[in-house]
Amino acid sequence: TWAAKKVNRPIKWTAERSEAFMSDAHGRDHVSHAELAMDENGKFLGLRVHTLANMGAYLSTFATSVPTYLSATLLAGVYTTPAIYSEVKAIFTNTVPVDAYRGAGRPETTYLLERLVDKAALEMNIDRVEIRRRNFIQPDQFPYQTPVALQYDSGDYEATLKEALQRADWDGFEARRAEAKQRGKLRGIGISTYLEACGIAPSNVAGALGARAGLYEAAQVRVEPTGSVTVYTGTHSHGQGHETTFCQLISEKLGVTHENINIVHGDTDKVLFGMGTYGSRSLAVGGEAIMKAVDKVIDKGKKIAAHLLEAAEGDIEFKDGNFVVAGTDKSKSFGEVALTAYVPHNYPLETLEPGLIESAYYDPKNFTFPGGCHICEVEIDPDTGVTDVVNFVAVDDVGRVINPMIVEGQIHGGVAQGIGQALLEGCVYDEQTGQLLTGSYVDYNMPRANNMPDFQVDHHVTLCTHNSMGVKGCGEVGAIGSPPAVINAVLDALRPLGVEDISMPATPNKVWAAIQAARTARAA
């Protein structure tokens, strides 16, 4: 930008990979100390968390929001912990600035909680599944007010847990562990029951926390004289398939074929003011804005149809792409009404403007709250420390599923990133000089296809209660539920050797070193 002003012409600059490693935002750098109080039956009584959150050398866009607004407010998780205390200290360091990365704060909190719950189960000698069941928020407790500001509207955590246990063949695991042992391998299974807050809303809450922007979304639906539809949305697709999902919604609502629907995004000369794509908000917030605009189109269409059909507006129904006089066979198609709006030869011009273009803004009343259960099974080679993820089950409640293939793809991608974080990826700095040591993909270990198993993905639906579609969001759930499931599985495999903890990423070197240390300690 500085150079462009100097020479008075556009300049494009592209960073080389090594430059990007030292300048693009990094993610997830918390050091937390957590304490969980329980009664003699393993019921959670209180949680206390102190977090040091690295901001890097200077603040990035969402840096301070991640450990506070997006993380500390989810410390209840899926549990009925009655008292929660959280203290977050943001600190500046020599590192690259830290910003929001898929999940942004929710993976950090879920990891802390699910590792802590496993630790509690071990120390209390309570089964890992049972201690979670004893503390779940029950379906009849919704809406559920947590001690950390948020109020959840819906969920059924027992249902997703039950389905995941069945799909993972949890009861048959010990036989698989014994078989692996005969081959000289260490096998472990881990579980994570998680909750996410999506939609990043509402604006008045964000404003109270110091944000300088609203968190609404906007949409415009333009119906052409031919009956084709163009949708202008402030959310932006960068691979999530918004064009497909939004088309499905419009087609279902208006009865227009997909070929006659055009989705426009990313052009600020055309779209209304919008807040973009992040926080799994595109469908729950952006999609709801589109639906509100579509409802306005239908309402105006009813007025036009009532005039054409010489009926009262209150008698007009819209269904299957037609405006129908209730109780009769008199109707006008959506296309006929659209043409009339632009060719108003027979039109109530004295009460209604021509045209069929409507806009809407939607500012949600609350977050949406997807949740679910992830179960990971790993096999470790004790001679090398290499961990293979041999099975992964994700059963998620993302609300109403509009397009199952897109949702499954989103979850696959998120789980792959979660496995990468748990086992492979980490930014390392030299402690003496501050030099970034993982400055290229030679040193920074990205997950590859051979690091991934065949994922088993399923859904249990409870509808969001405060948007018309009942959707909750799916873009980040895979990255939120998976890291603790993976690490819990790794520790389940290593625990017979005496290994009690391991930090992410659990690289082969780190796992091998933990095994050697445990063996040395036992020998001593």
Side-chain angles (χ1 to χ4, degrees):
T1 303
W2 177 88
K5 286 185 175 181
K6 287 293 182 183
V7 300
N8 198 32
R9 61 183 59 198
I11 293 179
K12 180 180 180 180
W13 174 73
T14 303
E16 294 181 355
R17 185 71 72 187
S18 59
E19 292 173 317
F21 266 98
M22 291 187 288
S23 58
D24 291 354
H26 293 181
R28 316 216 208 286
D29 198 358
H30 293 183
V31 176
S32 296
H33 178 84
E35 301 166 273
L36 179 65
M38 295 168 285
D39 66 15
E40 66 276 10
N41 297 313
K43 281 287 289 181
F44 302 162
L45 301 177
L47 174 66
R48 182 163 50 207
V49 180
H50 298 269
T51 294
L52 293 178
N54 178 29
M55 298 290 100
Y58 48 88
L59 293 181
S60 60
T61 309
F62 289 99
T64 54
S65 300
V66 170
T68 53
Y69 183 47
L70 300 175
S71 188
T73 55
L74 274 185
L75 282 169
V78 295
Y79 307 115
T80 56
T81 312
I84 298 174
Y85 174 83
S86 174
E87 178 187 81
V88 179
K89 291 184 177 179
I91 58 175
F92 289 105
T93 71
N94 65 286
T95 71
V96 170
V98 172
D99 209 337
Y101 169 68
R102 198 172 193 167
R106 287 88 93 198
E108 291 90 321
T109 291
T110 298
Y111 183 79
L112 181 148
L113 275 177
E114 293 306 292
R115 287 289 299 113
L116 195 60
V117 170
D118 257 31
K119 185 77 170 176
L122 186 67
E123 294 196 9
M124 295 289 287
N125 196 28
I126 301 173
D127 179 77
R128 290 177 287 171
V129 173
E130 178 58 27
I131 197 171
R132 287 171 166 84
R133 281 184 165 136
R134 290 182 190 182
N135 290 282
F136 276 163
I137 301 164
Q138 298 302 312
D140 61 1
Q141 292 180 277
F142 292 100
Y144 182 82
Q145 179 62 53
T146 74
V148 278
L150 300 182
Q151 184 181 83
Y152 308 156
D153 66 321
S154 67
D156 189 342
Y157 312 126
E158 173 64 32
T160 52
L161 171 67
K162 183 178 180 180
E163 177 67 20
L165 292 172
Q166 181 179 345
R167 279 186 163 270
D169 186 21
W170 183 272
D171 293 338
F173 171 71
E174 289 304 328
R176 297 192 295 277
R177 191 204 294 268
E179 186 276 331
K181 186 176 181 180
Q182 291 179 347
R183 295 184 282 108
K185 305 292 186 181
L186 303 171
R187 201 168 180 114
I189 194 167
I191 189 170
S192 166
T193 48
Y194 76 93
L195 183 90
E196 181 191 2
C198 290
I200 312 301
S203 289
N204 59 353
V205 174
L209 293 172
R212 297 181 183 181
L215 296 181
Y216 56 84
E217 196 48 70
Q220 185 181 75
V221 175
R222 175 173 179 162
V223 181
E224 308 294 346
T226 58
S228 64
V229 177
T230 301
V231 178
Y232 299 89
T233 175
T235 65
H236 192 287
S237 176
H238 36 78
Q240 302 95 323
H242 294 172
E243 301 88 344
T244 300
T245 304
F246 290 162
C247 272
Q248 283 184 245
L249 292 172
I250 298 292
S251 180
E252 182 181 307
K253 191 91 170 184
L254 294 180
V256 179
T257 63
H258 286 214
E259 293 78 12
N260 289 317
I261 301 171
N262 183 36
I263 308 296
V264 177
H265 53 74
D267 187 337
T268 54
D269 282 338
K270 296 179 180 179
V271 304
L272 295 174
F273 195 89
M275 297 308 297
T277 296
Y278 51 87
S280 301
R281 73 191 298 273
S282 296
L283 186 57
V285 186
E288 188 69 8
I290 292 172
M291 289 297 96
K292 287 171 70 69
V294 168
D295 286 340
K296 290 182 179 180
V297 165
I298 292 172
D299 287 344
K300 185 172 182 179
K302 286 180 178 180
K303 292 180 172 64
I304 299 170
H307 178 81
L308 294 175
L309 295 167
E310 299 179 340
E313 182 185 335
D315 292 334
I316 302 296
E317 298 176 347
F318 183 71
K319 56 185 179 181
D320 301 325
N322 292 291
F323 294 91
V324 181
V325 179
T328 74
D329 59 358
K330 297 172 62 179
S331 68
K332 291 289 182 180
S333 70
F334 181 77
E336 289 176 297
V337 168
L339 181 62
T340 301
Y342 289 96
V343 186
H345 298 162
N346 180 16
Y347 193 88
L349 289 170
E350 63 281 0
T351 59
L352 207 60
E353 294 178 347
L356 201 51
I357 303 172
E358 298 291 343
S359 301
Y361 290 79
Y362 176 67
D363 198 323
K365 300 175 182 177
N366 195 0
F367 288 96
T368 61
F369 298 100
C373 178
H374 289 185
I375 295 176
C376 177
E377 196 165 330
V378 302
E379 198 167 272
I380 297 173
D381 183 345
D383 295 329
T384 64
V386 171
T387 300
D388 290 324
V389 179
V390 295
N391 190 30
F392 198 99
V393 172
V395 179
D396 305 288
D397 174 9
V398 299
R400 179 187 171 198
V401 176
I402 305 298
N403 187 301
M405 184 178 292
I406 286 177
V407 170
E408 186 166 338
Q410 289 270 27
I411 293 170
H412 280 202
V415 170
Q417 287 182 264
I419 291 174
Q421 177 179 345
L423 297 179
L424 303 167
E425 299 180 66
C427 295
V428 180
Y429 291 82
D430 184 278
E431 292 185 6
Q432 302 303 317
T433 66
Q435 175 67 37
L436 179 66
L437 300 178
T438 50
S440 74
Y441 282 126
V442 174
D443 307 296
Y444 185 94
N445 196 1
M446 284 283 285
R448 294 166 172 81
N450 62 354
N451 299 121
M452 302 297 146
D454 288 332
F455 303 123
Q456 297 186 60
V457 175
D458 205 349
H459 311 285
H460 176 84
V461 174
T462 63
L463 298 177
C464 175
T465 62
H466 53 80
N467 64 57
S468 65
M469 295 177 288
V471 297
K472 295 183 177 182
C474 70
E476 298 164 292
V477 295
I480 292 168
S482 57
V486 175
I487 296 298
N488 283 340
V490 169
L491 288 172
D492 184 56
L494 298 180
R495 194 165 288 116
L497 303 180
V499 178
E500 294 295 331
D501 195 23
I502 197 165
S503 61
M504 293 190 290
T507 60
N509 180 66
K510 194 180 293 184
V511 172
W512 181 86
I515 292 171
Q516 300 312 307
R519 286 174 173 172
T520 300
R522 282 195 169 191

